[in-house]
């Protein structure tokens, strides 16, 4: 009797299950390998000396970083929907964290975040727009923080240790930090160049990818060109959209910097909880706090080189190599274990539980995710997002001209009456109201401000705002 052939959907589901099993084995194997060299006789005594207020501060600062992340999602979603709670934003943050932590190169995180957002009141097109904008601002924040770390505290780099693996591999961390920084900025700079340098764009798309195809580095040149074209066009459009709302851009950027500081500072609070700092190099003070943040930034750069799910294994190895001179030898392993537990091992089951129970359909969707999934989403929604952006942009220009004309007429009428219109709003804010007239959320915010700032009434001159005589 012949076997029943599986449908394409079931084949994809089975492939997804196998993929996540491989990821799980890889994570467990790499993590186990990283702990073989740990001297466990020193870990127990070190952990027994923990000062709980500092440890609770570490837990609090780590948790607060996810609150800030949830707030970012809330800010984005409030641009598209009238009501959006912080709890929903936290769900998106947890789901994104989980799938990013268990997939190579964090590929699953973006797709599942988009899927979750599309189930929270917005459409797939808006969800894709939010994810892309979120990615751009995050990369800008990461690049900026890394650049500050390299420029302001470049003197820390020579004092970091070497990466040693079972006394076989011994590599200086300095070149790895530089390579990691280049990896961090490479993709975003490449998109900028491809988007705004026409000659470079043509060279890469034609000769560059063609050459890489001939020497077998790129297996499918045509598919690679199409994928890169989609990435570039989406990047250009979302960047334009981003800079039409500078206040939101600045707010999100500040929140991302806050997230980076919170997460990069966790080793400081853990080190302080055990008094683990090497007295010759550091102490429990502000200078050490920022040094730890900058070294943690170097750690992020280095671990980004190797796309193992969640940085399993490499994150543990590189932590000890980077902080070897900052913590006492008998405390370095205990510090690393507590830091990794708080930022990864404990977060996986918590975020996994949210991913499992928040939206049941998400489990099925997760099995379909691969390296091409988010690119497909961008391609599917590009036309709709471009049309929406163009309409909003043209409407904004038209409405701004209308508003200026109305303001001129209103002011000229009031001058004749020797009266002055008093409003606590600048012209920019008034323009913003008209610009976003088609968007419910902005109309709602403007009305709230208007009601709290002044009383609106009609008078016999037909003027909507309160008036004050300024005398003859």
């Amino acid at each position: 009797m012949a076997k029943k052939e599986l449908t394409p959907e079931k084949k994809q589901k089975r492939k997804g299950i196998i993929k996540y099993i491989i990821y799980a084995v890889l994570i467990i194997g790499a993590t186990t390998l990283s702990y073989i060299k740990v001297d466990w006789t020193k870990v127990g005594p070190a952990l027994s000396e923990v000062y709980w207020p500092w440890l609770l501060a570490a837990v609090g600062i780590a948790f607060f970083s996810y609150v800030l992340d949830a707030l970012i999602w809330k800010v984005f979603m409030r641009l598209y929907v009238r009501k959006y709670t912080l709890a929903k934003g936290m769900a998106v943050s947890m789901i994104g964290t989980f799938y990013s932590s268990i997939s190579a190169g964090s590929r699953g995180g973006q797709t599942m975040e988009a899927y979750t957002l599309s189930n929270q009141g917005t459409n797939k097109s808006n969800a894709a727009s939010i994810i892309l904008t979120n990615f751009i601002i995050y990369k800008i924040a990461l690049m900026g923080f890394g650049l500050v770390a390299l420029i302001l505290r470049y003197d820390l780099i020579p004092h970091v240790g070497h990466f040693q693996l079972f006394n076989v591999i011994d590599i200086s961390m300095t070149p790895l930090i530089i390579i990691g920084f280049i990896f961090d900025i490479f993709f975003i700079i490449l998109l900028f160049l491809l988007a705004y340098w026409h000659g470079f764009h043509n060279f890469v798309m034609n000769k560059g990818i063609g050459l890489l195809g001939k020497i077998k580095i790129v297996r499918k040149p045509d598919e690679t060109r199409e994928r890169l074209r989609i990435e570039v066009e989406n990047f250009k459009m979302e960047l334009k959209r981003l800079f039409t709302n500078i206040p939101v851009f600045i707010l999100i950027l500040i929140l991302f910097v806050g997230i980076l500081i919170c997460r990069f500072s966790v080793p400081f609070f853990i080190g302080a909880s055990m008094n683990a700092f090497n007295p010759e190099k550091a102490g429990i003070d502000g200078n050490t706090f920022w040094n730890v943040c900058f070294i943690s930034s170097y750690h992020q750069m280095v671990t980004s080189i190797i796309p193992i799910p969640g940085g399993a294994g490499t994150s543990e190895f590189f932590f000890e190599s980077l902080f070897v001179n900052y913590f006492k030898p008998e405390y370095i392993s205990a510090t690393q274990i507590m830091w990794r537990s708080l930022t990864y091992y404990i977060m996986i089951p918590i975020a996994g539980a949210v991913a499992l129970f928040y939206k049941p359909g998400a489990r099925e969707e997760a099995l379909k995710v691969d390296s091409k999934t988010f690119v497909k989403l961008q391609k599917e929604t590009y036309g709709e997002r471009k049309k929406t952006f163009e309409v909003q942009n043209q409407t904004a220009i038209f409405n701004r001209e209308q508003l200026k004309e109305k303001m001129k007429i209103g002011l000229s009428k009031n001058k004749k009456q020797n009266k002055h219109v008093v409003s606590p709003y600048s012209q920019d804010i008034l323009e913003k109201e008209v610009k976003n007239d088609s968007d419910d959320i902005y109309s709602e915010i403007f009305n709230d401000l208007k009601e709290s700032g002044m009383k609106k009434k009609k008078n016999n001159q037909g003027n909507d705002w309160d008036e004050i005589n300024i005398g003859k």
Side-chain angles (χ1 to χ4, degrees), residues 241-267:
R241 191 197 301 269
L242 179 62
F243 287 114
T244 60
N245 201 335
I246 297 297
V248 169
F249 167 70
I250 294 172
L251 174 60
I252 300 297
L253 186 63
I254 291 171
L255 290 173
F256 267 127
V257 171
I259 289 172
L260 293 176
I261 292 173
C262 287
R263 293 179 182 175
F264 288 163
S265 66
V266 170

PDB file of all heavy atoms in Angstrom, residues 241-267:
ATOM      1  N   ARG A 241       9.006  57.822   5.522  1.00  0.00           N
ATOM      2  CA  ARG A 241       7.863  57.880   6.440  1.00  0.00           C
ATOM      3  C   ARG A 241       8.327  58.256   7.847  1.00  0.00           C
ATOM      4  O   ARG A 241       7.673  59.040   8.545  1.00  0.00           O
ATOM      5  CB  ARG A 241       7.149  56.524   6.461  1.00  0.00           C
ATOM      6  CG  ARG A 241       5.800  56.557   7.180  1.00  0.00           C
ATOM      7  CD  ARG A 241       5.350  55.149   7.534  1.00  0.00           C
ATOM      8  NE  ARG A 241       5.228  54.292   6.375  1.00  0.00           N
ATOM      9  CZ  ARG A 241       4.104  54.139   5.665  1.00  0.00           C
ATOM     10  NH1 ARG A 241       3.025  54.805   6.006  1.00  0.00           N
ATOM     11  NH2 ARG A 241       4.082  53.310   4.639  1.00  0.00           N
ATOM     12  N   LEU A 242       9.461  57.703   8.232  1.00  0.00           N
ATOM     13  CA  LEU A 242      10.002  57.945   9.574  1.00  0.00           C
ATOM     14  C   LEU A 242      10.303  59.420   9.783  1.00  0.00           C
ATOM     15  O   LEU A 242       9.971  59.996  10.827  1.00  0.00           O
ATOM     16  CB  LEU A 242      11.273  57.105   9.766  1.00  0.00           C
ATOM     17  CG  LEU A 242      12.010  57.237  11.096  1.00  0.00           C
ATOM     18  CD1 LEU A 242      11.126  56.787  12.244  1.00  0.00           C
ATOM     19  CD2 LEU A 242      13.287  56.409  11.063  1.00  0.00           C
ATOM     20  N   PHE A 243      10.911  60.056   8.781  1.00  0.00           N
ATOM     21  CA  PHE A 243      11.325  61.440   8.942  1.00  0.00           C
ATOM     22  C   PHE A 243      10.209  62.442   8.669  1.00  0.00           C
ATOM     23  O   PHE A 243      10.437  63.645   8.716  1.00  0.00           O
ATOM     24  CB  PHE A 243      12.539  61.723   8.064  1.00  0.00           C
ATOM     25  CG  PHE A 243      13.798  61.102   8.587  1.00  0.00           C
ATOM     26  CD1 PHE A 243      14.437  60.092   7.881  1.00  0.00           C
ATOM     27  CD2 PHE A 243      14.332  61.484   9.811  1.00  0.00           C
ATOM     28  CE1 PHE A 243      15.586  59.485   8.376  1.00  0.00           C
ATOM     29  CE2 PHE A 243      15.476  60.892  10.313  1.00  0.00           C
ATOM     30  CZ  PHE A 243      16.113  59.897   9.595  1.00  0.00           C
ATOM     31  N   THR A 244       9.005  61.950   8.402  1.00  0.00           N
ATOM     32  CA  THR A 244       7.858  62.848   8.369  1.00  0.00           C
ATOM     33  C   THR A 244       7.261  63.025   9.766  1.00  0.00           C
ATOM     34  O   THR A 244       6.383  63.853   9.962  1.00  0.00           O
ATOM     35  CB  THR A 244       6.752  62.309   7.429  1.00  0.00           C
ATOM     36  OG1 THR A 244       6.308  61.037   7.893  1.00  0.00           O
ATOM     37  CG2 THR A 244       7.256  62.200   6.001  1.00  0.00           C
ATOM     38  N   ASN A 245       7.751  62.231  10.727  1.00  0.00           N
ATOM     39  CA  ASN A 245       7.272  62.328  12.108  1.00  0.00           C
ATOM     40  C   ASN A 245       8.482  62.320  13.043  1.00  0.00           C
ATOM     41  O   ASN A 245       8.757  61.330  13.719  1.00  0.00           O
ATOM     42  CB  ASN A 245       6.331  61.165  12.429  1.00  0.00           C
ATOM     43  CG  ASN A 245       5.436  61.471  13.620  1.00  0.00           C
ATOM     44  OD1 ASN A 245       5.783  62.286  14.465  1.00  0.00           O
ATOM     45  ND2 ASN A 245       4.295  60.811  13.689  1.00  0.00           N
ATOM     46  N   ILE A 246       9.215  63.428  13.046  1.00  0.00           N
ATOM     47  CA  ILE A 246      10.457  63.532  13.812  1.00  0.00           C
ATOM     48  C   ILE A 246      10.250  63.314  15.316  1.00  0.00           C
ATOM     49  O   ILE A 246      11.051  62.634  15.952  1.00  0.00           O
ATOM     50  CB  ILE A 246      11.143  64.890  13.557  1.00  0.00           C
ATOM     51  CG1 ILE A 246      11.536  65.015  12.083  1.00  0.00           C
ATOM     52  CG2 ILE A 246      12.366  65.060  14.442  1.00  0.00           C
ATOM     53  CD1 ILE A 246      12.544  63.994  11.622  1.00  0.00           C
ATOM     54  N   PRO A 247       9.179  63.870  15.942  1.00  0.00           N
ATOM     55  CA  PRO A 247       8.995  63.644  17.383  1.00  0.00           C
ATOM     56  C   PRO A 247       8.918  62.158  17.747  1.00  0.00           C
ATOM     57  O   PRO A 247       9.496  61.735  18.749  1.00  0.00           O
ATOM     58  CB  PRO A 247       7.680  64.367  17.693  1.00  0.00           C
ATOM     59  CG  PRO A 247       7.593  65.429  16.663  1.00  0.00           C
ATOM     60  CD  PRO A 247       8.163  64.828  15.423  1.00  0.00           C
ATOM     61  N   VAL A 248       8.199  61.375  16.937  1.00  0.00           N
ATOM     62  CA  VAL A 248       8.102  59.932  17.208  1.00  0.00           C
ATOM     63  C   VAL A 248       9.458  59.271  17.034  1.00  0.00           C
ATOM     64  O   VAL A 248       9.861  58.423  17.836  1.00  0.00           O
ATOM     65  CB  VAL A 248       7.047  59.276  16.293  1.00  0.00           C
ATOM     66  CG1 VAL A 248       7.121  57.750  16.380  1.00  0.00           C
ATOM     67  CG2 VAL A 248       5.657  59.741  16.682  1.00  0.00           C
ATOM     68  N   PHE A 249      10.183  59.663  15.995  1.00  0.00           N
ATOM     69  CA  PHE A 249      11.526  59.119  15.767  1.00  0.00           C
ATOM     70  C   PHE A 249      12.432  59.377  16.971  1.00  0.00           C
ATOM     71  O   PHE A 249      13.119  58.470  17.457  1.00  0.00           O
ATOM     72  CB  PHE A 249      12.134  59.741  14.503  1.00  0.00           C
ATOM     73  CG  PHE A 249      13.608  59.497  14.355  1.00  0.00           C
ATOM     74  CD1 PHE A 249      14.092  58.232  14.066  1.00  0.00           C
ATOM     75  CD2 PHE A 249      14.518  60.535  14.528  1.00  0.00           C
ATOM     76  CE1 PHE A 249      15.460  57.998  13.946  1.00  0.00           C
ATOM     77  CE2 PHE A 249      15.880  60.314  14.404  1.00  0.00           C
ATOM     78  CZ  PHE A 249      16.347  59.044  14.108  1.00  0.00           C
ATOM     79  N   ILE A 250      12.439  60.602  17.467  1.00  0.00           N
ATOM     80  CA  ILE A 250      13.297  60.955  18.614  1.00  0.00           C
ATOM     81  C   ILE A 250      12.879  60.181  19.856  1.00  0.00           C
ATOM     82  O   ILE A 250      13.721  59.666  20.598  1.00  0.00           O
ATOM     83  CB  ILE A 250      13.249  62.472  18.872  1.00  0.00           C
ATOM     84  CG1 ILE A 250      13.888  63.224  17.696  1.00  0.00           C
ATOM     85  CG2 ILE A 250      13.950  62.828  20.174  1.00  0.00           C
ATOM     86  CD1 ILE A 250      13.729  64.735  17.767  1.00  0.00           C
ATOM     87  N   LEU A 251      11.561  60.086  20.092  1.00  0.00           N
ATOM     88  CA  LEU A 251      11.066  59.351  21.258  1.00  0.00           C
ATOM     89  C   LEU A 251      11.481  57.883  21.211  1.00  0.00           C
ATOM     90  O   LEU A 251      11.994  57.348  22.203  1.00  0.00           O
ATOM     91  CB  LEU A 251       9.538  59.461  21.326  1.00  0.00           C
ATOM     92  CG  LEU A 251       8.841  58.631  22.419  1.00  0.00           C
ATOM     93  CD1 LEU A 251       9.341  59.036  23.803  1.00  0.00           C
ATOM     94  CD2 LEU A 251       7.328  58.771  22.321  1.00  0.00           C
ATOM     95  N   ILE A 252      11.278  57.227  20.066  1.00  0.00           N
ATOM     96  CA  ILE A 252      11.634  55.817  19.939  1.00  0.00           C
ATOM     97  C   ILE A 252      13.143  55.629  20.084  1.00  0.00           C
ATOM     98  O   ILE A 252      13.607  54.672  20.719  1.00  0.00           O
ATOM     99  CB  ILE A 252      11.162  55.251  18.585  1.00  0.00           C
ATOM    100  CG1 ILE A 252       9.644  55.368  18.442  1.00  0.00           C
ATOM    101  CG2 ILE A 252      11.584  53.787  18.429  1.00  0.00           C
ATOM    102  CD1 ILE A 252       8.846  54.578  19.444  1.00  0.00           C
ATOM    103  N   LEU A 253      13.918  56.542  19.521  1.00  0.00           N
ATOM    104  CA  LEU A 253      15.377  56.459  19.623  1.00  0.00           C
ATOM    105  C   LEU A 253      15.822  56.545  21.085  1.00  0.00           C
ATOM    106  O   LEU A 253      16.681  55.765  21.530  1.00  0.00           O
ATOM    107  CB  LEU A 253      16.016  57.586  18.808  1.00  0.00           C
ATOM    108  CG  LEU A 253      17.547  57.566  18.684  1.00  0.00           C
ATOM    109  CD1 LEU A 253      18.015  56.313  17.956  1.00  0.00           C
ATOM    110  CD2 LEU A 253      18.041  58.823  17.967  1.00  0.00           C
ATOM    111  N   ILE A 254      15.226  57.467  21.837  1.00  0.00           N
ATOM    112  CA  ILE A 254      15.556  57.605  23.267  1.00  0.00           C
ATOM    113  C   ILE A 254      15.189  56.329  24.025  1.00  0.00           C
ATOM    114  O   ILE A 254      15.945  55.856  24.887  1.00  0.00           O
ATOM    115  CB  ILE A 254      14.828  58.827  23.872  1.00  0.00           C
ATOM    116  CG1 ILE A 254      15.414  60.121  23.304  1.00  0.00           C
ATOM    117  CG2 ILE A 254      14.930  58.824  25.395  1.00  0.00           C
ATOM    118  CD1 ILE A 254      14.625  61.367  23.672  1.00  0.00           C
ATOM    119  N   LEU A 255      14.033  55.763  23.709  1.00  0.00           N
ATOM    120  CA  LEU A 255      13.601  54.531  24.382  1.00  0.00           C
ATOM    121  C   LEU A 255      14.546  53.378  24.070  1.00  0.00           C
ATOM    122  O   LEU A 255      14.886  52.576  24.956  1.00  0.00           O
ATOM    123  CB  LEU A 255      12.175  54.175  23.961  1.00  0.00           C
ATOM    124  CG  LEU A 255      11.070  55.103  24.477  1.00  0.00           C
ATOM    125  CD1 LEU A 255       9.729  54.733  23.858  1.00  0.00           C
ATOM    126  CD2 LEU A 255      10.983  55.042  26.000  1.00  0.00           C
ATOM    127  N   PHE A 256      15.016  53.283  22.828  1.00  0.00           N
ATOM    128  CA  PHE A 256      15.964  52.226  22.469  1.00  0.00           C
ATOM    129  C   PHE A 256      17.299  52.414  23.188  1.00  0.00           C
ATOM    130  O   PHE A 256      17.911  51.436  23.628  1.00  0.00           O
ATOM    131  CB  PHE A 256      16.192  52.185  20.957  1.00  0.00           C
ATOM    132  CG  PHE A 256      15.282  51.230  20.238  1.00  0.00           C
ATOM    133  CD1 PHE A 256      14.524  51.654  19.154  1.00  0.00           C
ATOM    134  CD2 PHE A 256      15.168  49.908  20.641  1.00  0.00           C
ATOM    135  CE1 PHE A 256      13.686  50.775  18.488  1.00  0.00           C
ATOM    136  CE2 PHE A 256      14.326  49.018  19.988  1.00  0.00           C
ATOM    137  CZ  PHE A 256      13.586  49.464  18.910  1.00  0.00           C
ATOM    138  N   VAL A 257      17.756  53.634  23.299  1.00  0.00           N
ATOM    139  CA  VAL A 257      18.994  53.888  24.049  1.00  0.00           C
ATOM    140  C   VAL A 257      18.797  53.478  25.504  1.00  0.00           C
ATOM    141  O   VAL A 257      19.692  52.887  26.126  1.00  0.00           O
ATOM    142  CB  VAL A 257      19.401  55.377  23.946  1.00  0.00           C
ATOM    143  CG1 VAL A 257      20.561  55.682  24.898  1.00  0.00           C
ATOM    144  CG2 VAL A 257      19.802  55.721  22.517  1.00  0.00           C
ATOM    145  N   GLY A 258      17.611  53.771  26.053  1.00  0.00           N
ATOM    146  CA  GLY A 258      17.305  53.345  27.420  1.00  0.00           C
ATOM    147  C   GLY A 258      17.346  51.833  27.569  1.00  0.00           C
ATOM    148  O   GLY A 258      17.866  51.307  28.564  1.00  0.00           O
ATOM    149  N   ILE A 259      16.810  51.116  26.588  1.00  0.00           N
ATOM    150  CA  ILE A 259      16.838  49.648  26.601  1.00  0.00           C
ATOM    151  C   ILE A 259      18.265  49.139  26.593  1.00  0.00           C
ATOM    152  O   ILE A 259      18.633  48.235  27.373  1.00  0.00           O
ATOM    153  CB  ILE A 259      16.063  49.080  25.399  1.00  0.00           C
ATOM    154  CG1 ILE A 259      14.564  49.305  25.582  1.00  0.00           C
ATOM    155  CG2 ILE A 259      16.338  47.582  25.228  1.00  0.00           C
ATOM    156  CD1 ILE A 259      13.741  48.941  24.363  1.00  0.00           C
ATOM    157  N   LEU A 260      19.099  49.716  25.731  1.00  0.00           N
ATOM    158  CA  LEU A 260      20.497  49.279  25.641  1.00  0.00           C
ATOM    159  C   LEU A 260      21.233  49.519  26.950  1.00  0.00           C
ATOM    160  O   LEU A 260      21.977  48.651  27.427  1.00  0.00           O
ATOM    161  CB  LEU A 260      21.204  50.016  24.499  1.00  0.00           C
ATOM    162  CG  LEU A 260      20.716  49.694  23.078  1.00  0.00           C
ATOM    163  CD1 LEU A 260      21.432  50.567  22.061  1.00  0.00           C
ATOM    164  CD2 LEU A 260      20.945  48.216  22.750  1.00  0.00           C
ATOM    165  N   ILE A 261      21.015  50.677  27.558  1.00  0.00           N
ATOM    166  CA  ILE A 261      21.683  50.969  28.840  1.00  0.00           C
ATOM    167  C   ILE A 261      21.225  49.992  29.915  1.00  0.00           C
ATOM    168  O   ILE A 261      22.039  49.472  30.690  1.00  0.00           O
ATOM    169  CB  ILE A 261      21.400  52.427  29.267  1.00  0.00           C
ATOM    170  CG1 ILE A 261      22.105  53.403  28.313  1.00  0.00           C
ATOM    171  CG2 ILE A 261      21.866  52.673  30.701  1.00  0.00           C
ATOM    172  CD1 ILE A 261      21.755  54.867  28.548  1.00  0.00           C
ATOM    173  N   CYS A 262      19.921  49.730  29.969  1.00  0.00           N
ATOM    174  CA  CYS A 262      19.393  48.786  30.970  1.00  0.00           C
ATOM    175  C   CYS A 262      20.027  47.409  30.807  1.00  0.00           C
ATOM    176  O   CYS A 262      20.523  46.819  31.783  1.00  0.00           O
ATOM    177  CB  CYS A 262      17.883  48.672  30.854  1.00  0.00           C
ATOM    178  SG  CYS A 262      16.959  50.104  31.448  1.00  0.00           S
ATOM    179  N   ARG A 263      20.024  46.890  29.595  1.00  0.00           N
ATOM    180  CA  ARG A 263      20.521  45.532  29.372  1.00  0.00           C
ATOM    181  C   ARG A 263      22.038  45.437  29.483  1.00  0.00           C
ATOM    182  O   ARG A 263      22.575  44.438  29.956  1.00  0.00           O
ATOM    183  CB  ARG A 263      20.031  45.033  28.015  1.00  0.00           C
ATOM    184  CG  ARG A 263      18.520  44.857  28.012  1.00  0.00           C
ATOM    185  CD  ARG A 263      17.951  44.400  26.698  1.00  0.00           C
ATOM    186  NE  ARG A 263      16.494  44.305  26.794  1.00  0.00           N
ATOM    187  CZ  ARG A 263      15.689  44.024  25.791  1.00  0.00           C
ATOM    188  NH1 ARG A 263      16.188  43.803  24.579  1.00  0.00           N
ATOM    189  NH2 ARG A 263      14.371  43.959  25.970  1.00  0.00           N
ATOM    190  N   PHE A 264      22.733  46.482  29.044  1.00  0.00           N
ATOM    191  CA  PHE A 264      24.194  46.472  29.129  1.00  0.00           C
ATOM    192  C   PHE A 264      24.690  46.672  30.558  1.00  0.00           C
ATOM    193  O   PHE A 264      25.833  46.342  30.871  1.00  0.00           O
ATOM    194  CB  PHE A 264      24.788  47.564  28.235  1.00  0.00           C
ATOM    195  CG  PHE A 264      24.693  47.271  26.757  1.00  0.00           C
ATOM    196  CD1 PHE A 264      24.851  48.282  25.821  1.00  0.00           C
ATOM    197  CD2 PHE A 264      24.435  45.988  26.297  1.00  0.00           C
ATOM    198  CE1 PHE A 264      24.768  48.022  24.458  1.00  0.00           C
ATOM    199  CE2 PHE A 264      24.342  45.706  24.930  1.00  0.00           C
ATOM    200  CZ  PHE A 264      24.513  46.729  24.020  1.00  0.00           C
ATOM    201  N   SER A 265      23.842  47.216  31.424  1.00  0.00           N
ATOM    202  CA  SER A 265      24.276  47.494  32.801  1.00  0.00           C
ATOM    203  C   SER A 265      23.993  46.345  33.764  1.00  0.00           C
ATOM    204  O   SER A 265      24.428  46.398  34.927  1.00  0.00           O
ATOM    205  CB  SER A 265      23.586  48.765  33.324  1.00  0.00           C
ATOM    206  OG  SER A 265      22.182  48.573  33.446  1.00  0.00           O
ATOM    207  N   VAL A 266      23.290  45.317  33.319  1.00  0.00           N
ATOM    208  CA  VAL A 266      22.960  44.191  34.209  1.00  0.00           C
ATOM    209  C   VAL A 266      24.203  43.571  34.851  1.00  0.00           C
ATOM    210  O   VAL A 266      24.201  43.285  36.062  1.00  0.00           O
ATOM    211  CB  VAL A 266      22.136  43.123  33.451  1.00  0.00           C
ATOM    212  CG1 VAL A 266      21.996  41.850  34.285  1.00  0.00           C
ATOM    213  CG2 VAL A 266      20.753  43.669  33.112  1.00  0.00           C
ATOM    214  N   PRO A 267      25.322  43.348  34.113  1.00  0.00           N
ATOM    215  CA  PRO A 267      26.523  42.791  34.764  1.00  0.00           C
ATOM    216  C   PRO A 267      27.046  43.669  35.901  1.00  0.00           C
ATOM    217  O   PRO A 267      27.638  43.149  36.863  1.00  0.00           O
ATOM    218  CB  PRO A 267      27.542  42.720  33.623  1.00  0.00           C
ATOM    219  CG  PRO A 267      26.720  42.628  32.382  1.00  0.00           C
ATOM    220  CD  PRO A 267      25.519  43.478  32.655  1.00  0.00           C
TER     221      PRO A 267
END
